[in-house]
RNA sequence: GCCGCCAUCGUAUAGUGGUAGUAUCGGGGCCUGUGGAGCCCUGGGCAAGGGUUCGAUUCCCUUUGGCGGCCCCA
């Protein structure tokens, strides 16, 4: 028996890490005043196509329902959240929404890449100002450091800058301009020579490919990028302002013109976040401004910016780093047939909020202690006939191997 | 969707054209009032289907799944 391609089960260990990330995210979303919501898991195929065109069919799950409607499973959260925000015409601006949910993609599965995975996502609608973009980047940095990835780097690009350069200096527009931007996107993955071959074969001139690749290699402090672009006569004012805003937030970022993001609907600021110590996983989060999507949903007045990240990739990046602080766990052991008493004491402890394990296999005391010990319980409450008849239980400290007898009544104090 | 590599107990690994060991894990005992050890017993496997063969876990094909690359992206 094998699972379904690209899907898998979450093990208890993974779920622990998963819940830690979920909680970090929802806590942080609250701190930044994003309201949590979840868009519906399916959309009309038409709605899903709005974002990326009919080509998206190759990458998603879609089907016809029993009523003949063409539906698809959501492949990200942005589409659904945007549809929701656009429908809410009475909402005060900006609309700030957050979501943490699963999405589906019909892709070839590989490491850190599944057909069913979770994303965290925040979006802000109604603000065309850079402050809202800065907040996305700031949030992303905060989330990564909150989950323990201190060595993150957020690479910020600006499609506007790149487009202006391509149009002004190279005279390419439309599809061809987009094609050249794709080349930029690959700069980190392939060598100049490979890209030169690939793109001259597509009909681009050597000169323009070389210039684009030069552009893609620009990475560094905002000021450096500014002076380089100035020579080319391209305005970088927006990037500079954004960088300025971010300096006050303690976010680790770089200006990097090779970041353009694959999706066509992004309009200006785009960014991707990476773990500096983990190259293989790919980007941990990506986002940017996409004013065009709300327009497709009939809202010309709703500029939009957002960021989304893959939870599984984050789990990979976190690795074995301690995820959740475990609470005090207590093992309740018994002997002399005092199961009933042990269960009632367990119940008492649980009402106090303790994590309690009690033997369900009717094992011998020595076996119970062995298991408690091996499973890392620091405290064991032993329920034994002689003591229980005097309203006492034994508390055994597994670390220093000491034990004491305490009154049942004062168990709550003693167990702390 | 395309190309390549791979597939043995839950996990990790040996091995073989005559149906499989080992380690670890699981269950039990020594030991139903005191533990992480030890010893003993025990459960569990050749991904599925087809072909070649007297006989296939082993060779071949297909499917399924995993990994890597393309593409795309998280």
């Amino acid at each position: 028996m094998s699972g379904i391609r690209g899907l898998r089960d979450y093990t208890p260990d993974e779920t622990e890490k998963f819940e830690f990330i979920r909680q970090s995210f929802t806590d942080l979303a609250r701190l930044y005043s994003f309201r949590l919501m979840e868009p519906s898991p399916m959309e009309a195929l038409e709605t899903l196509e709005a974002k990326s065109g009919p080509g998206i069919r190759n990458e998603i799950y879609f089907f016809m329902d029993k009523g003949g409607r063409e539906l698809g499973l959501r492949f990200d959260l942005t589409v659904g959240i945007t549809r929701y925000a656009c429908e809410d015409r009475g909402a005060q601006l900006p609309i700030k929404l957050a979501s943490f949910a699963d999405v589906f993609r019909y892709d070839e599965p590989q490491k850190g890449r599944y057909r069913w995975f979770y994303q965290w996502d925040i979006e802000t609608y109604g603000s065309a100002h850079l402050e809202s973009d800065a907040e996305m980047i700031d949030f992303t940095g905060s989330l990564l450091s909150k989950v323990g990835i201190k060595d993150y780097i957020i690479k910020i690009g600006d499609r506007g800058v790149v487009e202006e350069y391509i149009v002004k200096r190279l005279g390419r527009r439309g599809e061809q301009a987009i094609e050249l931007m794709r080349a930029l996107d690959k700069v980190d993955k392939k060598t100049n020579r490979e890209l030169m071959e690939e793109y001259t074969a597509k009909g681009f001139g050597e000169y323009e490919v070389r210039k684009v690749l030069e552009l893609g290699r620009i990475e560094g402090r905002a000021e450096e990028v500014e002076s380089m672009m100035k020579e080319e006569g391209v305005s970088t004012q927006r990037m500079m302002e954004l960088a300025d805003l971010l300096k006050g937030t303690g976010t680790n970022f770089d200006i990097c013109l090779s970041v353009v993001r694959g999706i066509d609907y992004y309009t200006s600021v785009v960014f991707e976040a990476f773990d500096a110590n983990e190259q293989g996983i790919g980007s941990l989060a990506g986002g940017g401004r996409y004013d065009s999507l709300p327009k497709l949903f009939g809202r010309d007045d709703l500029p939009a910016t957002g960021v989304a990240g893959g939870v599984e990739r984050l789990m990979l990046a976190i690795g074995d780093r301690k995820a959740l602080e475990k609470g005090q766990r207590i093992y309740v052991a018994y002997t002399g047939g005092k199961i009933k008493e042990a269960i009632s004491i367990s119940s008492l402890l649980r009402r106090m909020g303790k994590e309690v394990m009690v033997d369900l296999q009717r094992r011998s005391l020595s076996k119970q202690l062995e298991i408690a010990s091996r499973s890392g319980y620091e405290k064991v409450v032993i329920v034994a006939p002689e003591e229980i008849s005097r309203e006492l239980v034994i508390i055994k400290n597994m670390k220093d191997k000491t034990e004491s007898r305490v009154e049942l009544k004062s168990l709550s104090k003693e167990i702390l």
Side-chain angles (χ1 to χ4, degrees):
Chain A
M1 202 159 43
S2 54
I4 296 168
R5 187 165 174 79
L7 277 60
R8 81 277 179 51
D9 302 310
Y10 274 88
T11 65
D13 281 347
E14 287 170 327
T15 302
E16 237 168 60
K17 211 182 286 180
F18 178 87
E19 286 300 331
F20 164 71
I21 290 172
R22 187 207 291 270
Q23 192 155 54
S24 302
F25 171 75
T26 54
D27 286 351
L28 205 60
R30 228 169 270 129
L31 293 184
Y32 280 75
S33 302
F34 287 91
R35 300 201 66 204
L36 274 165
M37 57 91 61
E38 186 180 329
S40 80
M42 291 182 227
E43 297 282 352
L45 188 55
E46 193 188 3
T47 306
L48 295 176
E49 286 176 344
K51 187 176 172 186
S52 314
I56 197 70
R57 288 186 184 218
N58 296 327
E59 289 159 42
I60 66 175
Y61 285 88
F62 70 94
F63 53 92
M64 193 170 281
D65 78 1
K66 290 179 179 175
R69 286 170 278 257
E70 283 203 297
L71 305 179
L73 299 180
R74 61 183 174 205
F75 60 89
D76 74 3
L77 299 170
T78 307
V79 172
I81 297 173
T82 303
R83 179 186 46 71
Y84 168 81
C86 289
E87 283 168 0
D88 189 354
R89 297 198 171 249
Q92 190 187 65
L93 304 184
I95 306 170
K96 295 178 64 173
L97 299 171
S99 195
F100 188 104
D102 51 345
V103 299
F104 301 83
R105 278 186 208 179
Y106 200 83
D107 243 358
E108 273 317 292
Q110 265 154 53
K111 200 173 190 65
R113 186 164 131 174
Y114 306 95
R115 287 182 171 178
W116 170 59
F117 61 97
Y118 279 80
Q119 283 192 325
W120 58 265
D121 188 309
I122 55 171
E123 312 285 348
T124 295
Y125 301 94
S127 166
H129 301 296
L130 280 172
E131 295 84 80
S132 51
D133 299 292
E135 191 173 65
M136 292 297 154
I137 296 168
D138 172 25
F139 181 96
T140 304
S142 298
L143 180 64
L144 292 178
S145 55
K146 185 168 179 146
V147 300
I149 300 169
K150 307 289 181 201
D151 259 348
Y152 71 86
I153 181 75
I154 300 178
K155 298 185 178 181
I156 303 172
D158 189 327
R159 280 203 171 197
V161 170
V162 175
E163 240 177 285
E164 189 182 337
Y165 180 86
I166 291 175
V167 171
K168 263 195 190 169
R169 306 288 301 182
L170 304 177
R172 295 284 191 181
R173 16 186 106 246
E175 266 308 304
Q176 289 182 315
I178 287 175
E179 193 67 37
L180 280 177
M181 282 202 257
R182 291 230 168 85
L184 269 184
D185 207 26
K186 294 175 185 169
V187 160
D188 278 343
K189 277 190 164 179
K190 295 187 173 177
T191 66
N192 280 358
R193 184 172 301 168
E194 285 171 323
L195 287 170
M196 181 61 82
E197 274 174 31
E198 188 175 337
Y199 281 85
T200 48
K202 285 185 179 177
F204 291 99
E206 261 187 49
Y207 172 77
E208 54 187 350
V209 177
R210 181 150 27 87
K211 292 306 273 185
V212 165
L213 294 183
E214 272 173 31
L215 199 65
R217 298 287 176 204
I218 296 178
E219 177 173 355
R221 317 258 94 232
E223 291 74 14
E224 297 167 39
V225 176
E226 186 190 27
S227 69
M228 283 174 177
M229 291 317 288
K230 215 167 216 168
E231 287 172 28
E232 301 284 355
V234 174
S235 165
T236 53
Q237 197 191 346
R238 185 165 49 200
M239 292 186 81
M240 294 309 293
E241 275 177 39
L242 180 62
D244 214 40
L245 279 169
L246 282 171
K247 275 175 195 156
T249 64
T251 307
N252 305 336
F253 70 94
D254 253 347
I255 299 296
C256 186
L257 291 175
S258 72
V259 173
V260 292
R261 315 264 302 136
I263 306 171
D264 298 341
Y265 69 63
Y266 284 111
T267 49
S268 64
V269 173
V270 287
F271 60 92
E272 291 189 22
F274 298 87
D275 180 349
N277 303 320
E278 267 289 352
Q279 301 300 336
I281 301 177
S283 72
L284 295 173
R289 179 159 286 279
Y290 58 100
D291 298 342
S292 57
L293 187 59
K295 282 190 188 134
L296 291 172
F297 290 140
R299 292 291 298 266
D300 291 344
D301 60 326
L302 220 53
T305 185
V307 56
V311 174
E312 282 74 5
R313 285 192 180 180
L314 208 47
M315 285 162 69
L316 279 173
I318 290 174
D320 293 327
R321 277 173 247 184
K322 201 68 190 163
L324 273 183
E325 280 302 310
K326 287 218 172 96
Q328 164 106 298
R329 295 153 69 231
I330 295 162
Y331 196 101
V332 175
Y334 54 82
T335 184
K338 293 296 176 190
I339 306 177
K340 224 173 93 182
E341 291 78 356
I343 284 175
S344 124
I345 287 167
S346 299
S347 174
L348 178 78
L349 288 167
R350 283 170 182 148
R351 280 196 294 272
M352 289 163 40
K354 299 291 176 193
E355 296 175 40
V356 177
M357 178 72 163
V358 62
D359 174 65
L360 299 174
Q361 309 293 107
R362 303 197 177 182
R363 280 189 258 247
S364 68
L365 180 61
S366 66
K367 211 67 171 177
Q368 292 178 56
L369 287 168
E370 184 185 326
I371 284 166
S373 167
R374 272 204 293 178
S375 311
Y377 288 87
E378 286 179 18
K379 286 197 173 158
V380 176
V381 173
I382 302 174
V383 184
E386 199 182 312
E387 284 79 4
I388 204 72
S389 66
R390 293 186 281 135
E391 299 277 297
L392 296 173
V393 291
I394 304 164
I395 297 179
K396 187 175 178 82
N397 185 322
M398 302 301 273
K399 265 195 172 159
D400 55 25
K401 305 186 179 196
T402 57
E403 50 182 68
S404 57
R405 283 164 175 72
V406 304
E407 302 234 353
L408 207 43
K409 277 180 287 188
S410 54
L411 180 60
S412 60
K413 281 175 222 143
E414 299 292 333
I415 205 78
L416 295 176

